[in-house]
Amino acid sequence: MDVRVAEAAESQAPPGPRGTAGPKGTNRWGRRAGVLLLSALPMLAGVLPATTQAASAASGTAPGTAPAAAHGTATAASTTATAAHEAAAAPSARTGTGSRTARISVNEVTPSIPEQGDTLTLSGTVTNTSSTTLGHLRLAPRIGPTLGSRSAIDQAARRKGYLSGADGTEVAGGHSARLSGLASGVTRSFTLKIPVSDLHLGADGVYQLGVSLTGRTRNRPYDQVLGIGRTFLPWQKSSSGHPTKLTYLWPLISTPHVTARTQPDKQQTPVFRSDKLAEELAPGGRLQQMLDLGKDLNVTWVIDPDLLASVDTMARRYRVHRPGGGPDDTVAGKGQEYAKQWLNELQEAVADKEVVALPFADPDLASLAHRGTQVPGALSSLGQATTLARETVQTVLHVKPSTDFAWPYKGAVDSSIVDVATSAGAHNVIARSDSVRETGLSYSPTAARPIGSGNTALVADAPLSTAFEGDLSRAGASSLAVQRFAAQSLSLARQAPSRTRSVVVAPQRMPTVSQAQAMAAGLKALARSGWTEPSSLADAAKAKPDPGARRKMPAPSSYPASLRRTELPTAAFEQVRKTKEGLDDFKRILSRADRVEPPFATAIDREVSNGWRGDGSAARHYRDSVEKYLLELRGAVKLIKKSDITLSGREATIPVTVQNNLAQGVDGLVLELRSSRVGLDVGDPKRVKVDGEHTQSLKFDTAAKNNGRAYVYAQLYTEDGERYGKVMKFQVNVTSITSTVLLVIAGGVLLIVLAGIRMYTQRKRSGPAPDPDAPLEQPDGDDSGGTSGGDSGDGSEDTSGNDGPEDAGPEEAGPEDAGPHGDANDTERESDNPPAAGEKVDR
């Protein structure tokens, strides 16, 4: 039953004489109309008065007042029936029947904003979305009523299916076109040309323009509307005396591409996350299209200096991380030529244009305000990022940018975001009207709003700023976006035609190629309109604000929950703080801190970029990679592991070695030893200075009061007392010598000395040693070995006792009393043969 009701709601009146339905068909249609009327009466009874009143207010007429023209009546009628029509048409949308049997796409409207005497050209396609063949097809242009408000434009853009009255009437004058049968799923293109004079456009305003397809199906062999495509036609016969000053932001922003890692060569070759930036700069790429389209437009260039720095780096030699490889696994980048050409063209394009530089790396101000303020030091880098932004743009583009503007993500602001945005020195905050909503005005006021302390909020127009979002890759969607943008701008200008207002348009930060092309087409269309004129962002900030415009910023609780879910977490700012502190400690010990600080400082700025919105995993991976690389470099300066040692004695030396694997020297560290035992003194701390890729051994004089085992802890410190690296622990075994042992050793030494003295004395007495090489003496007498005088032949001692004084002792015996070998008291030799040279002699 619902399908039949929907079909009745979307169909036209019963066919006339040319129709194929007879009386039975007429009765059938009558019954269906009766059923529809009965089912709609309860709803109409409650909805009609309120809806009519809303339609009257939207069209600028008071309730109960007769509209000035037939178009006004049609507008009110269409507004009244829209809700019922959408509910009834929903089943039809799923089945591809009724006025959704075919899909009409209006791909091009030329000119977008026509003038008197022009010929309007409508080009597009028609596609059979049903499961049956369509016949007797005829395409015809339709001109609808004027859309008296901006909300009416949005409502018409959302409407699906054909609605009699709201979709106007066919343009008379034979401008339709016949088509042959169209099978299921088949698409066919069309072009219709209509002189503007045949449209019979009346008062200035926005008209709904459509193309309808009328035909027959097998189940419905009579003429009916099978599909309709809509667009908008802005119309103004003469220029307005008070055109709207329109400022359009043209953003050159990208996601972070450069890592903190650099090659160890002299040039410090940077390493990119990937080579996607080269794809964006290549012909047809996103950034190349943004530049090529924007250079012919009167826009304000809003640039992230990090993008400029990355492209400038890419124009020279750079490396790219290999997907799936280790941290040091890189390949050569291939985007040098694209980067050089893009920079050269950008320098020419902005030479005489307004350039606004965002803080370096486009920091996420909302995340900082909502999560970062809980972390000490999180806001300290904003001022530095602003200074770096100015220097980067001046160096790369040779123009002086403005750094007085802050642009929170999607223009969503609250009081805390404004405080953070202005803390870095910016006096102008770019917001959006769907965040700072007006309640007391019936028109869109000038963008500038004083918000106190010399600061200004520039509230961009939300419908114009979001006009080119979504998928615009299809020609029909792109064309509709252009026409809708032009229509919204005219509707805004007609809200208060006697006022000169300043409007800011802040589109999405990173438009796709198709979105950028549609943006350029929309701005080119407005260039020939009479209701807008271009203006700079600086002039928009100085414009006189409307007295009744809202100046109080929303509370933090009003920030959209959908955006809050995509913010950086507090843990991210804690990690950033930890990395900053580690970098500060590391650069203090380096002899060339300028080779390390810039790559890491810019990488830390990139960690809080708006570019991570919607990609939390990539943001975490980037932060982890920066922190890991810093720890890797810090770990290159370390203590070499020491094994357990033994100290034999009360005083000894402990050597500890510091290794520096960096390519540059290290100075500014202090090495300190600490013992776990009170009785072991390990000496005073020592300053560390090590050349690049060298080691240094430091010796600590120790003193032990007792023996035993102790643990010694070696730790590096910075000069301000901060720990550097991990502590190294090793064991020391002290072997102390006791008094008893010393006495025993002293006694042994004394005995050895006394024995030596006695031996010396005995040798002294014995006289010189005999010459072993002297000839043997022969005794007197024959060879038989007899003796002569008082000597016995065998050398025995003489016992007569008559050869010397009676009381003479051994010392008193003279030489004459000596034996044959010079010593009367010497013992007898065992052999008369002398020993050979080198032979051991026994005495």
Side-chain angles (χ1 to χ4, degrees), residues 419-475:
D419 292 341
V420 169
T422 56
S423 65
H427 294 91
N428 302 285
V429 181
I430 301 172
R432 210 166 68 182
S433 61
D434 54 354
S435 178
V436 184
R437 299 180 181 273
E438 294 297 333
T439 56
L441 296 179
S442 59
Y443 62 92
S444 300
T446 288
R449 319 284 175 83
I451 55 177
S453 301
N455 300 318
T456 301
L458 290 171
V459 183
D461 186 75
L464 295 179
S465 299
T466 59
F468 300 104
E469 293 183 355
D471 183 11
L472 301 185
S473 58
R474 294 184 295 106

Side-chain angles (χ1 to χ4, degrees), residues 369-394:
H370 298 154
R371 315 290 177 90
T373 53
Q374 305 173 25
V375 179
L379 302 181
S380 61
S381 61
L382 273 181
Q384 299 173 0
T386 301
T387 302
L388 181 59
R390 183 184 301 107
E391 295 173 352
T392 302
V393 174
Q394 289 178 338

